[in-house]
Amino acid sequence: QVQLVESGGGLVQAGGPLRLSCAASGRVFSSYAMGWFRQAPAKEREFVAAISGNGGRTTYADSVKGRFTISRDNAKNTVYLQMNSLKPEDSAVYYCATGVDYIGDRYLRNYYYWGQGTQVTVSS
């Protein structure tokens, strides 16, 4: 059974950095893409970033490109989301997710396993 556990959320001032982590278990981590999504109150869950199984390919939402970096450490079964230059509109619950694909994409429907989420709040 695949399990995903996010950590690293919290309260940060606008312009500041924050790093999220997601520890995975239950299958061969390096064989599958990982993604980060977020959901703000009264909004739909949206794609943030994705990374391929070996970390060689990454994809970002336009709203975070140049500010956020997704990475993974396959030896530690962990995926990270480094968030810099945070804005109040980045406030949301952040989820990591994975599916059965190796490359990864931005489509929520392709992600079958989800973590419980971690809250990120950016104050202005």
Side-chain angles (χ1 to χ4, degrees), residues 45-107:
R45 194 168 298 190
E46 64 175 6
F47 170 77
V48 175
I51 187 167
S52 62
N54 66 356
R57 177 170 170 168
T58 56
T59 306
Y60 296 93
D62 288 344
S63 59
V64 306
K65 202 173 293 183
R67 299 188 298 121
F68 290 12
T69 302
I70 188 171
S71 62
R72 63 191 297 160
D73 185 338
N74 286 345
K76 295 183 178 179
N77 288 1
T78 301
V79 62
Y80 305 97
L81 185 68
Q82 178 66 46
M83 305 184 292
N84 297 327
S85 302
L86 280 162
K87 305 175 181 180
E89 52 263 43
D90 293 318
S91 297
V93 177
Y94 282 71
Y95 299 90
C96 71
T98 187
V100 297
D101 180 48
Y102 179 80
I103 298 298
D105 58 37
R106 63 184 61 238
Y107 301 107

Side-chain angles (χ1 to χ4, degrees), residues 93-122:
V93 177
Y94 282 71
Y95 299 90
C96 71
T98 187
V100 297
D101 180 48
Y102 179 80
I103 298 298
D105 58 37
R106 63 184 61 238
Y107 301 107
L108 190 147
R109 64 177 181 268
N110 292 332
Y111 292 83
Y112 304 141
Y113 305 101
W114 295 83
Q116 82 289 350
T118 186
Q119 177 71 48
V120 172
T121 303
V122 184

Side-chain angles (χ1 to χ4, degrees), residues 12-36:
V12 62
Q13 286 190 333
L18 202 61
R19 189 176 83 154
L20 305 182
S21 300
C22 173
S25 62
R27 63 180 188 180
V28 179
F29 181 70
S30 59
S31 294
Y32 301 96
M34 298 294 297
W36 285 99

